Amino acid sequence: MNKQKHLNLEARILIETLLNEHHSFKSISRELGKDCTTISKEVKAHIYFEKTGALGRSFNDCRAAFLHQCFLQKLCLRCSYSNNKLCWTCGKCTSSCIAYEKYICPKLSKPPYVCNGCQQRSRCSLKKRLYKASYAQKEYEQVRSESRSGFALSETELKQLDDVVSPLLKNGQSLHHISVHHADKLMKSERTLYTYINSGLFHARAIDMPRTVHMRPRKNVSKTLNVDKSRRIGRDFRCFENFLAEHPDAAVRQLDSVEGTKGGAVLLTIHFVEQGLQLAFLRQRNDSQSVIDIFNRLYLELRTDVFIELFPVLLADNGSEFSNPSAIELDAQGKRRTTMFYCNASASYQKGSCENNHEMIRRILPKGTDLGQYSQEQIDLMMSHINSYSRKKLGNKSPYEVFEFQYGKKILDTFHLRKIPADEIILSPELLK
């Protein structure tokens, strides 16, 4: 049997080829010298979803349409111009039809769990589940990279450490004193605790350690990702895509941070994808608690039902400021108020709308600008100018106008945004001088 622990690209290409030729897991395992359960786990772990139709048929995963039992007509604008055309043939009826029922092929519930070797694949209009070697290899490399970054620390462990360390630090005790007298509770080295504090994981900060703030910071210290694998379980980008497939009407809000000077104040941006509206909140440091405080404040300022309607799904990157998803998802009573997901590592294009909108912020606040010199009122003024700027993709309407039409002006007033007349909009550093 092959003693190599991990599958490589050549092995994955062989798996894909043999699956296309309708080989069983046992047959593939003999070719690779692996156990058949290894092949089964590999295939199920790296399934690629593809929404493609068949020859002469558009994608449609409705049960009645797939079984040719649907005879509804003129549900959508595209079909309303035809007298005899059935709606299921265009594939656009699923979002507007009240009789829609998702159909999953029963063959996918048993090995090989994918459509690679299916003889009906070219005539099937359902969503395909495929095993692709290139996609599987890319996912494997990404998981391997993420497993070597971040902190191996669960949210429960972090809270236990914080409850011991932060109060004592704020009482003036040194971290060395705390680690010596609470070694049995902490089970972490003094150096590790310093790392957690410098990364903003605890409520206590470096400023609570009088000697530390006088020390010169070390040079070239790379900041590791804090969103580790344990926190991404059920929240990675594949889960995000599956969630949207099950809830196609869910609105997505993209989160990101805009830095000024290194280690200084930053902005938290929340981008409403469909409306093009973006909010910006000034934070004095780039830590997770400041992000949690902003969402808690929005939850109090808006009614509970309004908050849940405005922020149903959040998509963030892997920055340390988004390292405590449970505190953002749940309110003080433990009730769910939103659902949070993460992009893949180094894949900012997965929230491209938010990134593109940052270009307008950079017109006013160029890179390297010290954001600490501005107030939240000035940031709100900047976002009012940006959100009043007309966009071609919005039908030459501004994000402010589109959002006001859908949600009303009262919410925009809560966000401290106002509409700026078209001729008075300034998108240059002169705005905040």
Side-chain angles (χ1 to χ4, degrees), residues 110-365:
K110 54 186 178 181
Y113 310 110
V114 288
C115 307
N116 287 62
C118 181
Q119 298 178 352
Q120 305 296 323
R121 179 178 164 185
S122 60
R123 297 187 291 274
C124 179
S125 62
L126 300 176
K127 181 166 69 172
K128 314 296 188 302
R129 297 176 59 176
L130 304 171
Y131 178 83
K132 293 188 175 183
S134 57
Y135 176 78
Q137 181 69 16
K138 184 178 179 180
E139 277 201 332
Y140 159 75
E141 292 174 353
Q142 175 191 323
V143 171
R144 183 182 61 184
S145 174
E146 290 174 355
S147 66
R148 297 171 181 173
S149 65
F151 300 116
L153 192 67
S154 68
E155 295 173 23
T156 304
E157 292 173 327
L158 176 60
K159 186 178 185 305
Q160 292 174 348
L161 294 175
D162 191 25
D163 291 342
V164 175
V165 175
S166 292
L168 297 178
L169 275 179
K170 292 181 178 181
N171 286 341
Q173 297 186 20
S174 69
L175 201 56
H176 175 74
H177 179 86
I178 297 171
S179 61
V180 168
H181 291 276
H182 296 275
D184 295 336
K185 290 183 179 179
L186 298 176
M187 300 294 288
K188 299 289 182 181
S189 68
E190 183 180 341
R191 181 67 262 167
T192 300
L193 295 176
Y194 270 111
T195 303
Y196 290 166
I197 292 174
N198 293 332
S199 299
L201 299 188
F202 292 163
H203 285 87
R205 298 288 183 263
I207 198 171
D208 296 314
M209 299 181 286
R211 294 187 62 191
T212 301
V213 295
H214 293 291
M215 297 179 181
R216 182 177 297 177
R218 294 185 178 184
K219 296 181 179 180
N220 301 326
V221 178
S222 60
K223 190 172 183 180
T224 57
L225 296 176
N226 188 44
V227 182
D228 59 345
K229 288 175 63 179
S230 62
R231 300 184 188 188
R232 285 173 53 92
I233 295 175
R235 297 189 181 99
D236 60 15
F237 196 73
R238 180 193 284 183
C239 296
F240 169 72
E241 293 177 317
N242 293 339
F243 183 88
L244 289 188
E246 296 175 2
H247 306 84
D249 295 330
V252 180
R253 314 308 183 201
Q254 298 176 352
L255 310 181
D256 205 353
S257 294
V258 176
E259 287 189 342
T261 55
K262 199 69 177 177
V266 296
L267 297 178
L268 170 69
T269 59
I270 304 177
H271 186 70
F272 294 76
V273 179
E274 294 84 359
Q275 297 80 21
L277 189 88
Q278 191 161 52
L279 308 177
F281 300 93
L282 186 65
R283 299 179 292 139
Q284 295 306 313
R285 59 180 67 87
N286 195 23
D287 55 15
S288 61
Q289 187 59 45
S290 61
V291 175
I292 296 168
D293 291 341
I294 289 172
F295 277 96
N296 288 339
R297 178 163 57 84
L298 289 173
Y299 190 64
L300 293 175
E301 292 178 354
L302 302 165
R303 295 199 315 268
T304 301
D305 56 334
V306 175
F307 182 93
I308 294 175
E309 182 183 1
L310 287 178
F311 304 102
V313 181
L314 304 178
L315 180 64
D317 58 24
N318 292 269
S320 59
E321 65 270 32
F322 306 118
S323 61
N324 194 350
S326 296
I328 297 175
E329 291 178 329
L330 308 177
D331 62 13
Q333 286 72 39
K335 297 179 180 179
R336 179 169 293 277
R337 59 188 180 185
T338 185
T339 303
M340 190 168 179
F341 296 97
Y342 294 103
C343 297
N344 292 330
S346 303
S348 58
Y349 59 87
Q350 292 174 344
K351 52 180 180 65
S353 301
C354 184
E355 299 288 345
N356 291 337
N357 219 59
H358 285 175
E359 295 180 5
M360 306 191 76
I361 295 178
R362 288 304 186 190
R363 294 186 193 180
I364 303 171
L365 300 174

